[in-house]
Structure formats: C-alpha cells, structure tokens
Amino acid sequence: MSSANEVSSAKEARSSAKEARSSAKDEILPRGGTQNMNKNMEKITDRQFLREQGKSLLGGIAGMLLYAIGMNCFIVPVGLYSGGLMGFCQLIRTLLIRCFPLLAGMVDIAGIIYYLLNIPLILVAIRNIGKKFVVKTILCVTAMTIFLSVIPIPLTPIMEDDILASCLIGGILCGAGLGIPLRMSCSSGGMDILGLTMIKLGKNFSVGKINLLVNAVLYGICLFLFDVPTVIYSLIYASVSAMAVDRLHSQNINVEVTVVTNERWEEMEKDILAHMDRGITKWNAKGAYTEADKQVLYIMVSKYELVHLKYIIKKHDPHAFIVVNEGVNISGHFLKKL
C-alpha cells in the first residue's frame, strides 16, 4: 500500500513540476516570444556555420602555402618531379623550356599550367561532388597558383648535398599541404578531385592511392626522358607525400549521431534527407521525468559532414540533445563521401 502511495506521489510531483515549468515559461515569454527566440537562435546558428566555413577555407589556403613552400624550396631546386597532375604540369613545363628557353626564369610556369588543366576537372566536380566544395576548390587552386608564382625558387638547393633529405622534407610539407585542405573539406584540385569522385561513386579508393596509380604512369614517362636517379628520388618523394596526405585526410572516419528532439523534427528530417543525402532511423520516445513526447533520430555521416548536420539540427531545434560517437565501424550500405 505504501509502495502504491509512493508511486502516486512521484507522479503527482512530476506533474506539478511540469505545470510549474510551463507556467513559468508563459510568464517569462510574452506572446510570440518563443518564435522570436527561435529566430534569434537560427541567426546565431547561421553565423556559426558561416564562421566554420570561413575557418575551413582559411585552413585550405594555409595548406596551399605549405605545399608551395615544400615544392619551390625543396623539390624544384633539386630537379625532382611531383606526383599527380602537378607532376604532368612540371613535365610539360620542362618540355616547353627546352623548346622555348625564354620561358625559363624565377617564376615557375608549372603553377599556371596546373590552373588551366584544372578547369575540366572542376567542371566534373560540380556535377559529382557539390557546388560548395567546388567553390572552395577554385579558391584553393587560385591560391596555390599565386603562391607557386610568388615564392622564389632558390638558385642553390637548401639541402645541396642531400637529395634524400630534400625528398623527405619536401614530401612531408607537400603532403601536409595537400592533406590539410581535404581535412577542411576543401581540395587542391588535380587528382584530389578524381579521388573524391571515385569515393563518391563507392569505389574502394583513397586520395593517396589514386595519386600513386597516376604517379606510376607519370614516372614511367620520366624514366624515358630523364636519368634513373631522378625518377627514384621522385618516387621516394611521391610515396612520402601520399602517406602524409592519407594520414591527414581519412575520408573513412564514420560518425554516429543520435538526436533527441521535440521541435520541428519533421522539417529537420526533410532537410537532412534533401541536403545531405543521408538516411535516418527514427523512433518515438518519452522523457522519463517530464513524460513529454520526444523523437529520436539516428544518423550515420562522415566526420566532415558533421558541421553541416549540426547546423541543420540547430536550425530547426536549438535545444536538441545531440550525441556524437566518432570512429564507428559500419558494414552494409553506406555512401562514402567527403
């Protein structure tokens, strides 16, 4: 009997607390106050999202600066060739200088050639990867071209008597410079776009693997045009650079997101499905203390989609409860993308 009375008292206490919170809310917020508060929260969320996008773009440009330093200060002075599309641009530059010696100078025209060859790849990216990604890629490629043209190439190599050290240092700098933009949801163009397109199509590739495959063709051509040591050292550089890229950019980091919400969850669900192309598992729930009806959404995304997902969630429910678990393993149908 006493147990039944305790249960009844607990229910009455929860009911009283709920009514007290409801009446307090009505007293504090005037008519339309909740809508105004939600609009203000949406504006704050929009500013936070734009700030995050700005940070990612600045990070991508900083990566391009690091790449240009590694290339102009360590790789080009010792006569080595980069991998990927930039390697082909360097090869074209060398052949052009042999035919037109006046093109030789302190400014490396490989960066300009790289910019021109990226145009068709960017057109492909617009169709397969997304406009936001493409806009940031264009800005990063432009920054790379400027940095490669502005940063002077030393007449004497910094590591004059140690080409291997130049390979290692240049490979780490260039690989980090390429990996940082990818980590920031940007790209340096070239083979990065091809690699990300393959990932989007569900192929078992990484950006580093794509670069290694392309490099095999590139250095096969170099083997016929230059001496063997140049090709060997260039391969060492390309391998170190590829490992640095994959170390910084791991597109297979999966994130498990659980959202508990009771506001505008239908609009939130439609927004996620429409703009993120991700599936959602949902179920009905009830708060243990308030006994209020809740909706639980379970979503799997890649690590680099997390900022966008949180933006959508906060836009529709600023008070949503979000649980994030990184690095989970997934078996089954899951679209790999940036």
Side-chain angles (χ1 to χ4, degrees), residues 37-326:
M37 184 178 70
N38 287 336
K39 288 181 180 180
N40 291 333
M41 289 298 295
E42 286 182 11
K43 290 179 181 179
I44 293 172
T45 305
D46 289 340
R47 288 197 295 268
Q48 290 174 343
F49 180 71
L50 291 174
R51 188 160 53 244
E52 289 295 329
Q53 293 296 314
K55 287 180 181 178
S56 69
L57 181 58
L58 289 176
I61 293 174
M64 295 296 92
L65 176 60
L66 194 62
Y67 176 85
I69 291 172
M71 181 62 60
N72 282 7
C73 295
F74 292 96
I75 302 304
V76 175
V78 293
L80 301 183
Y81 288 82
S82 177
L85 185 62
M86 178 58 73
F88 282 103
C89 293
Q90 289 178 302
L91 192 60
I92 294 171
R93 174 209 61 198
T94 301
L95 296 176
L96 286 175
I97 290 176
R98 287 182 180 180
C99 297
F100 307 99
L102 293 177
L103 293 175
M106 293 298 292
V107 176
D108 191 357
I109 63 171
I112 300 172
I113 298 172
Y114 182 79
Y115 191 87
L116 295 175
L117 293 182
N118 263 288
I119 294 175
L121 290 174
I122 289 173
L123 293 176
V124 173
I126 293 175
R127 192 173 181 179
N128 293 288
I129 300 178
K131 292 182 180 179
K132 291 181 181 178
F133 179 83
V134 169
V135 169
K136 290 192 285 188
T137 297
I138 292 173
L139 293 174
C140 285
V141 172
T142 303
M144 176 192 282
T145 303
I146 293 172
F147 291 144
L148 287 172
S149 302
V150 170
I151 296 176
I153 300 172
L155 296 176
T156 303
I158 296 175
M159 310 294 292
E160 187 174 2
D161 299 324
D162 196 343
I163 298 179
L164 181 59
S166 294
C167 289
L168 297 176
I169 297 172
I172 292 171
L173 289 175
C174 292
L178 294 175
I180 290 173
L182 289 171
R183 194 175 184 88
M184 298 292 178
S185 301
C186 304
S187 169
S188 59
M191 294 300 105
D192 292 350
I193 295 177
L194 179 59
L196 292 172
T197 302
M198 298 295 286
I199 293 167
K200 180 77 180 283
L201 296 175
K203 306 299 181 181
N204 187 24
F205 281 102
S206 68
V207 175
K209 288 178 182 177
I210 289 289
N211 279 324
L212 284 175
L213 290 175
V214 173
N215 291 342
V217 177
L218 171 65
Y219 294 128
I221 297 173
C222 290
L223 193 60
F224 291 97
L225 297 177
F226 311 109
D227 56 353
V228 175
T230 299
V231 176
I232 292 175
Y233 282 121
S234 296
L235 281 170
I236 294 173
Y237 154 76
S239 300
V240 173
S241 178
M243 286 188 290
V245 169
D246 276 347
R247 184 71 176 176
L248 282 169
H249 174 249
S250 182
Q251 71 278 355
N252 296 322
I253 297 177
N254 302 316
V255 178
E256 176 187 57
V257 182
T258 304
V259 183
V260 181
T261 177
N262 60 355
E263 295 182 19
R264 297 173 59 188
W265 62 268
E266 291 181 345
E267 292 86 347
M268 184 192 302
E269 178 184 327
K270 291 178 182 178
D271 211 352
I272 294 171
L273 292 172
H275 295 96
M276 298 195 66
D277 193 25
R278 289 299 188 188
I280 304 172
T281 301
K282 61 181 181 179
W283 59 89
N284 297 322
K286 184 181 288 289
Y289 182 73
T290 63
E291 295 187 351
D293 292 331
K294 305 282 186 180
Q295 195 74 17
V296 179
L297 306 180
Y298 181 82
I299 312 155
M300 293 298 303
V301 296
S302 67
K303 181 178 179 180
Y304 308 105
E305 296 173 295
L306 189 57
V307 172
H308 191 193
L309 177 61
K310 285 184 176 180
Y311 164 72
I312 292 175
I313 294 170
K314 292 297 183 181
K315 181 175 72 173
H316 294 287
D317 183 3
H319 308 290
F321 186 74
I322 306 171
V323 180
V324 178
N325 186 20
E326 292 188 5

